[in-house]
Amino acid sequence: HVQLVESGGGSVQAGGSLRISCAASEGTITSDCVGWFRQVPGKGREGVVTVDSDGTTTYGDSVKGRFTFSRDNLKNTLYLQMNNLKVEDTAQYYCAPGLCKLDSVSSYARGMFGYWGLSTQVTVS
């Protein structure tokens, strides 16, 4: 399994910005589909963004227009630029190699695709 290392999370005031990253510490992120999801303790997962095998990017309604996904294949890193952050964006954020559709987030598991690692916390106040 490939370890995913996330960084860039932290605390920010509402209206601020953060960019979180997800890098493979060893190996590569080779999944045709990639995405990000988030979770608040005690609540279900919420799909944030997915990029499918055709390259189509789909954002969740709650982040559309504020969040931007990008990928640096040379650095083997996924990014999520988050602008105009809101209190309700507070959550643990997980990069998700292999996640093709937002609707699949509840059944997604990194281990199914050969990845593991921790998430990064984003707190907006």
Side-chain angles (χ1 to χ4, degrees):
H1 280 40
V2 175
Q3 182 182 8
L4 300 172
V5 179
E6 297 192 25
S7 60
S11 298
V12 64
Q13 290 188 337
S17 298
L18 281 175
R19 188 179 77 158
I20 56 178
S21 304
C22 171
S25 65
E26 295 180 359
T28 58
I29 300 175
T30 60
S31 300
D32 289 339
C33 305
V34 293
W36 289 86
F37 68 92
R38 63 189 183 186
Q39 187 164 20
V40 175
K43 295 186 178 180
R45 294 175 173 179
E46 179 185 7
V48 174
V49 59
T50 57
V51 181
D52 67 19
S53 56
D54 293 331
T56 300
T57 304
T58 303
Y59 292 94
D61 289 341
S62 63
V63 306
K64 203 173 294 183
R66 299 187 298 121
F67 288 14
T68 303
F69 171 88
S70 63
R71 180 175 190 171
D72 187 329
N73 288 328
L74 291 178
K75 295 183 178 180
N76 208 25
T77 301
L78 310 177
Y79 301 98
L80 185 66
Q81 176 68 43
M82 305 181 291
N83 297 329
N84 190 22
L85 282 160
K86 304 177 180 181
V87 172
E88 51 265 40
D89 294 319
T90 296
Q92 289 281 344
Y93 283 74
Y94 299 78
C95 63
L99 181 64
C100 298
K101 297 181 179 180
L102 295 176
D103 292 346
S104 302
V105 67
S106 61
S107 61
Y108 171 84
R110 285 173 168 176
M112 294 167 53
F113 300 94
Y115 301 94
W116 70 281
L118 302 177
S119 58
T120 189
Q121 173 70 35
V122 171
T123 302
V124 186
S125 60

